Amino acid sequence: MAAAGPVQLLRAAAASSRRWLFSASPAAGTWPGCGSAAAAVRAARPFSLSARAVLSSEDKITVHFINRDGDKLTAKGKPGDSLLDVVVSNNLDIDGFGACEGTLACSTCHLIFEDHIFEKLDAITDEEMDMLDLAYGLTETSRLGCQICLKKSMDNMTVRVPEAVADVRQSVDMSKNS
Amino acid sequence: MLGWGQPLSPLTSSLCLPLPGFRRWLCSAAAAPRVCVVGSGPAGFYTAQHILKHHGGAQVDIYEKLPVPFGLVRFGVAPDHPEVKNVINTFTQTARSGRCAYHGNVTIGRDVTVAELQQAYHAVVLSYGAEDNRVLGIPGENLSGVHSARAFVGWYNGLPENQDLNPDLSCETALILGHGNVALDIARILLSPLQLLRKTDITDGSLAALACSKVKRVWLVGRRGPLQVAFTIKELREMINLPGARPVLNPADFTGLEDAVKDAPRPRKRLTELMIKTALEKPLEKPLETVSPREWGLKFQRSPQEVLPTADGSRARGVRMALTRLEGSGDSAKAIPTGDMEELECGLVVSSIGYRSLPLDPAVPFDTQRGIIPNSSGRVEGVPGLYCSGWVKRGPTGVIITTMNDSFDTAQSVLEDLQGGVLDVSTSREGFGAMESILRSRGVRPVSFSDWEKIDAAEVARGKAAGKPREKIVDLQEMLRIIGPQPLLSDLCKWLLLVPL
Ligand SMILES: Cc1cc2nc3c(=O)[nH]c(=O)nc-3n(C[C@H](O)[C@H](O)[C@H](O)COP(=O)(O)OP(=O)(O)OC[C@H]3O[C@@H](n4cnc5c(N)ncnc54)[C@H](O)[C@@H]3O)c2cc1C
Ligand SMILES: NC(=O)c1ccc[n+]([C@@H]2O[C@H](COP(=O)([O-])OP(=O)(O)OC[C@H]3O[C@@H](n4cnc5c(N)ncnc54)[C@H](OP(=O)(O)O)[C@@H]3O)[C@@H](O)[C@H]2O)c1
């Protein structure tokens, strides 16, 4: 059995860090989403930090996420990045986000948009609608984060993570108490 | 048998905790909560993930009856849906983390009792899924040529217990009973062009059988109407777009439905509209790729009464159906037999009317009526310290995300009980240390996650040669052979002596 001391605190479940390790694995070539720019980012993710660093901060787009517990998470991404990319590359801690890794096979990256942003999003495909039909807490302004690519006009937008379960429970976090 | 409480010999106790530093930590620190999860499907892994994430000191052991992990993600999800299996990446990350351990090849309820687990762990979470299927309970159900969807899916997905199924695919017409997503999965596998399946992780054996299949027509038969189908739109659309197979829907089945769903919730509305559109589409609008096209269709309001035997009684030749009318509307509509009957001819019957959980152990309450462990928010009724998640908690419906959400809910209950003192962690528990010696004494050889990674690597290597993502190993003994022999006690002793104290 693997011996583990308390020092080995882990955040195994963080929706984010794990994908850095596994970003080379997704199903070959069938990623829908933000077109070639984002696909290239995904393919090169483990090495893209330096490329990213070259971009001046003005080129970046700021996105605020309201998490399930009401916490506000703020992160930046490049034009063309999908919102799933933003969550993954900034290690945003949103439980269960992006389970199928952006292949339109689940609805865990469901996000709720502000009206004025929603109206200007690119048209939705039948396939995305099909997956959204299974999402929890579907609203009139819901989309899948893996299908939404950042544009300049989205700078400073706020998106909301829907409640996962019907009854809102006070969540317990004892991750820092040992 | 070595029971809890019996003094362990110095040798076995050091075997349980081979690293002295770790042992010291166990004694000095406030006891780390030890949680055990039974079953390594999505429910087991998502429950473990949530507990590990939100409790910085918890140790979680996942027990699995098979040597290989991931439950229905490996043995249920269709081979042509590899993207769904991406969740395995997250599960792997959890399993590799320092505070989680995987112990495969251990059947709880047989090799170890739940009571023994409860003594070794502060909390036990049952996430063992649904190992059986519902039965129709009609004459002829056991004839040759009739299979449960569970066995059929297990066969093409490499589940060891179903490798001898040997379904007879020499008939032209197959009948699938049930209108769920599993029914659609099976219809798709039966009708998919071989060149599509060849690139998936479908087993070599089933691919060979499908290559000789004569099945060219599949009817999916439901006891209720189009507004009550249980499958979802993505899977239906995929079936409609399947190359080389033509949908046959009777427009008369959909009369008036457009109006009926005008105000229905969006998923039901869009699903119904897609069926109507397909039914009304002129058949030749879709090019027919093959000389003798394959076809599939949906039949409604037919409730199976008897599987009809051939003249010599040796196998199935069709199913007698009672026609039904619907009483009530929407999801709760009931199918009432009209008294009229109809015989549908076929050579293969697959009964896809749902999975079913089984009771695990007399110590665990079980609601046989609903096929679940009675619980509230995952706390097993009447048994403090015992929890459940996934299909055994909720019943055998719901996609992986549904399972994820209810597993997080159960994990939350465990965390609340740890925080609120409901779970007494003042005394330390030995966890796998205690189990290991029990298992050894019973001749059970647990499989670790790195053992599984050896099997995984062997499967991927075999698949590579055939241009597939993996070739699953379908024989339990072969899996164990690949892992290699269990380290001998004497080897471990030597190793222990080499470790600087
Ligand atoms: C054919 C099929 C296809 C599906 N396809 C999809 C899909 O494409 N997308 C999707 O989102 N959902 C799909 N689902 C649903 C999804 O698989 C379930 O929601 C999910 O697997 C349920 O998780 P679970 O952990 O409760 O059960 P399981 O996945 O069944 O896991 C239970 C585990 O417990 C183990 N176990 C059983 N008994 C014992 C014991 N006594 N001791 C130790 N271990 C034990 C089992 O071996 C198994 O590994 C599909 C389901 C089926 C049946
Ligand atoms: N791609 C995917 O996402 C995917 C793939 C496979 C499975 N899954 C999920 O896994 C779960 C299990 O799927 P499933 O197909 O096994 O179950 P299901 O969705 O519950 O469907 C069962 C079907 O069997 C019918 N049925 C039940 N008892 C019957 C009886 N006695 N006689 C005739 N018909 C009967 C039901 O009809 P009634 O409604 O009339 O009872 C229903 O049409 C589902 O939630 C499914 O969505 C998902």
Side-chain angles (χ1 to χ4, degrees), chain B residues 38-44 63-66 70-72 76-77 81 84 106-108 127-131 153 182 185 355 360 389-391 398-400 403:
Chain B
V38 178
S40 69
Y63 290 88
E64 165 60 50
K65 108 179 166 172
L66 293 164
F70 311 136
L72 285 171
V77 171
H81 286 168
V84 176
V106 179
T107 303
I108 306 305
S127 317
Y128 62 88
E131 292 287 282
V153 168
V182 173
D185 272 355
Y355 283 50
L360 184 67
S389 65
W391 275 15
V399 291
I400 294 170
T403 300

Side-chain angles (χ1 to χ4, degrees), chain B residues 27-44:
Chain B
C27 303
S28 58
R34 288 196 170 266
V35 179
C36 136
V37 171
V38 178
S40 69

